Each structure stands twice: as C-alpha cells, then as structure tokens.
Amino acid sequence: MSHLADSRLSNTALSVLDLAPIRQGGSAADTFKETVALAQQAERLGFSRYWLAEHHNIEGIASAATSVLIGHVAGQTERIRVGSGGIMLPNHPPLVIAEQFGTLATLYPNRIDLGLGRAPGSDGATMAAMRRNPQAGVNDFPERLEELRGYLDEARPGQRVKAVPGQGTHVPTWLLGSSDYSARLAAKLGLPFAFAAQFAPAQLLEALRLYRDNFQPSAVLDAPYAVVGLPVIAAESDLHAQYLATTAQQKFLNLIRGRPTRSLPPVEALDWNARERAQVEQFLGAAVIGGPESVKQQLERVVEVTGADELMLHTDVFAQQDRLQSYDIVAGIWRD
C-alpha cells in the first residue's frame, strides 16, 4: 500500500459505534458499565465521537432509551463527542427529540451529536406497542426532519411551539442510512452523512457517490462530509480475530433464523448451510478482521476506496477485554 494511503488513514477521523450488547450470562447493568469504560478508553485514545443506536425489543441490545444512555456516557467522559447513531425519527414526535437533545446539549455544551435515521429499529408488534403508524414518519421523513431542525434553530417570529430546552442550541444533525435515500436528502440539505456499512455494505459506494455529486453547500457545511460505519475486529493475530468474529456471525445467523439472542461466546466452527453463510457474509461484507498488519492494510484500502472523512468503528466481540484491545490496536495503527 502506498504512502498516500497511509497519509489518508492518519488524516481520517476515527469514532466508535456502540450497540450496547448484552452478553449471554450478563445483564443490562453490566453492559452500561462496559459502555462507559469503552467510551473513556476511546476518549483517551483520541477518538472523535461515541455514538449509540436506538433499537427496541431486542434481547441483546441495551440502548433502547438512547438519549438517557447518551447523557450517562457524556457525564462519565470529558471531551469526546457523544451522540446517536441513530435516533429513529419516525418513532418520535420531533418536539420530544428536540427537547431531549436540547437538554443534553445544555448539560454538555458542544459535545452532543444527533444522528437520525428513518428505519423503525423494531418489528411490527413493537411498532404497535409504541403506538406508531407503520407508514407515518417514513413517507414524511423530510417534513419531520425540517420540524425537528426548526426546534433546534433560533426561534422564528410568531413561533407558537418551542423546544425548551432545545431552541437555539443548534445541536448538529446528521443523516444516517443504508441506501441512497438519506444520501440524496443529506446532499440536498447540506448535512453530514453516515452510511451504515456495519450491517448493509452493498450500496456504500453508490450512496457516497450520490451524496458527493449532489451536495449543496449550506450554513452547516461548505463541502460534503462522509462517515462510514465499519465492523472492525483487531486482535494479536489473524487467526484469533477470525475466532472472535464468530460472535458477530452468530448474531446475524440467529437473526436470519428468527431467533435473536444475547451476545454469544466465540466458537471454533459454525453450524450453518451455504445459503445462511452467504447471507451472513453479505451482512458483514465490509468487515475488517485480522491482526495489526492485516487490519492496517484493510483500513487503508477502505479509506482509499471510499474517501471517507471519518470511520465509525463497531467492534462486536463477546468479551469486554477483547473489545477494548481491538480499539487499542486500531488506535496504534492510526497513530503510527
């Protein structure tokens, strides 16, 4: 790999996406302690931001009350930006999200990000439990986004409903997506864009192309800013990293089988058929897995191919120590 690729990697910001996994034999309380420890390590290592994602009714994910957990992490760190990757806006009234994140931004000035998606983050039964119309919020997502941003901007003359706190906090908003929809909308509005290649890499390059080709400068950004979410597992050797990766493989395999579980220990071999293996490999098609030198080469290649301004790394392994070590290895590669 060329020196140019090395330079690109060193000039690319690194961040963390934490899905707050609940381990088999563990609890949500354990998860929250480990989330704080990882955020504190990410801050020490110089990572730019730490994002948490909204999911509901999933046994192995503890970040359903996303804004509450963001506040907890921000309160246990000092400098790193903390935010959502993302809040699923169709699940909520825009005013409520503006109030939540306006409160967070008031408590932790210049440290809160509001990443937004339009997927449900849940199944049909859970959507019904949240009193959500399956169509509402998807078809009118741009209108909801405009309303939300209005509650975070300066109040308009005659504005009857205001977010308190929220109004005038200008919390940075990001659009997240796994297809071209959010890429086009982010380009039109001049907003930063994050692509979820950590689980849906197929349209990554096309979405980035559309975002950059159609970008319109705004009061937020003069030029496009693209983040790539990426599954990364770094270990002392390629072989051990591949072994650790079976935890993530089991997660997607059980999702395919309709049997989602808590985070499972790694295994020497998986019991799957060819179709299931192909589906799992499709989910994890962008995964960077290996020892330090292999991970370095793979990350350089990702940056070279995507031109990402920032990589948001998601490390899905069973043991907390392995997760901490993976980020430590990546940070060492980045610094070197």
Side-chain angles (χ1 to χ4, degrees):
M1 190 61 60
S2 69
H3 174 73
L4 176 60
D6 288 336
S7 176
R8 283 176 177 167
L9 179 58
S10 64
N11 290 323
T12 303
L14 293 185
S15 293
V16 176
L17 174 64
D18 180 8
L19 295 187
I22 304 175
R23 188 187 307 110
Q24 184 184 63
S27 66
D30 296 331
T31 296
F32 297 149
K33 292 176 184 176
E34 292 174 357
T35 283
V36 168
L38 179 58
Q40 291 172 338
Q41 183 200 41
E43 183 170 75
R44 288 194 300 271
L45 293 174
F47 284 69
S48 294
R49 62 191 90 242
Y50 193 98
W51 279 5
L52 295 140
E54 176 186 354
H55 293 85
H56 299 280
N57 192 32
I58 297 179
E59 184 181 356
I61 297 179
S63 52
T66 317
S67 60
V68 177
L69 192 51
I70 288 170
H72 180 59
V73 171
Q76 300 294 315
T77 52
E78 297 179 0
R79 299 176 304 280
I80 193 169
R81 297 191 67 89
V82 188
S84 59
I87 291 291
M88 299 300 109
L89 186 55
N91 291 342
H92 312 278
L95 175 62
V96 172
I97 296 303
E99 291 168 341
Q100 290 176 359
F101 279 78
T103 299
L104 288 168
T106 303
L107 290 168
Y108 308 105
N110 301 314
R111 291 187 57 207
I112 302 300
D113 295 327
L114 175 52
L116 298 164
R118 68 187 190 110
S122 57
D123 57 23
T126 308
M127 291 169 64
M130 292 191 295
R131 306 297 191 267
R132 175 182 158 182
N133 181 327
Q135 299 305 317
V138 174
N139 297 333
D140 64 350
F141 182 80
E143 290 76 15
R144 286 178 176 243
L145 175 61
E146 181 180 9
E147 181 182 350
L148 171 58
R149 295 180 72 200
Y151 289 133
L152 296 172
D153 289 342
E154 301 300 328
R156 302 177 302 278
Q159 182 176 332
R160 296 183 60 189
V161 178
K162 299 176 183 178
V164 183
Q167 210 73 53
T169 54
H170 302 284
V171 179
T173 53
W174 302 62
L175 289 192
L176 283 55
S178 57
S179 67
D180 65 356
Y181 177 90
S182 291
R184 293 179 184 275
L185 184 58
K188 178 181 178 181
L189 298 176
L191 294 176
F193 173 62
F195 189 91
Q198 71 271 10
F199 71 89
Q203 298 186 54
L204 168 62
L205 297 181
E206 176 64 8
L208 293 179
R209 184 191 66 80
L210 288 169
Y211 172 60
R212 290 173 176 134
D213 287 352
N214 295 285
F215 184 84
Q216 299 179 26
S218 68
V220 176
L221 285 177
D222 294 327
Y225 190 91
V227 177
V228 174
L230 200 64
V232 175
I233 298 174
E236 63 267 21
S237 69
D238 290 356
L239 188 63
H240 190 58
Q242 292 291 345
Y243 171 68
L244 296 178
T246 60
T247 290
Q249 292 168 342
Q250 289 178 87
K251 179 181 75 175
F252 284 111
L253 180 59
N254 284 318
L255 284 174
I256 291 168
R257 293 174 174 174
R259 302 198 302 263
T261 63
R262 295 188 173 196
S263 181
L264 297 173
V267 294
E268 294 295 341
L270 285 101
D271 179 19
W272 53 9
N273 59 41
R275 178 186 60 81
E276 290 172 333
R277 179 170 184 166
Q279 287 181 279
V280 170
E281 290 176 348
Q282 184 176 20
F283 279 122
L284 295 171
V288 170
I289 301 168
E293 186 56 35
S294 175
V295 166
K296 178 177 184 290
Q297 293 174 5
Q298 292 177 70
L299 288 176
E300 288 169 352
R301 178 63 176 165
V302 169
V303 173
E304 185 176 38
V305 170
T306 66
D309 298 289
E310 186 171 333
L311 297 178
M312 181 155 287
L313 312 183
H314 172 232
T315 298
D316 186 5
V317 294
F318 182 73
Q320 171 76 343
Q321 185 54 44
D322 291 325
R323 189 161 66 145
L324 295 173
Q325 183 183 33
S326 180
Y327 285 106
D328 190 61
I329 289 171
V330 172
I333 293 168
W334 180 53
R335 286 193 300 268
D336 291 343

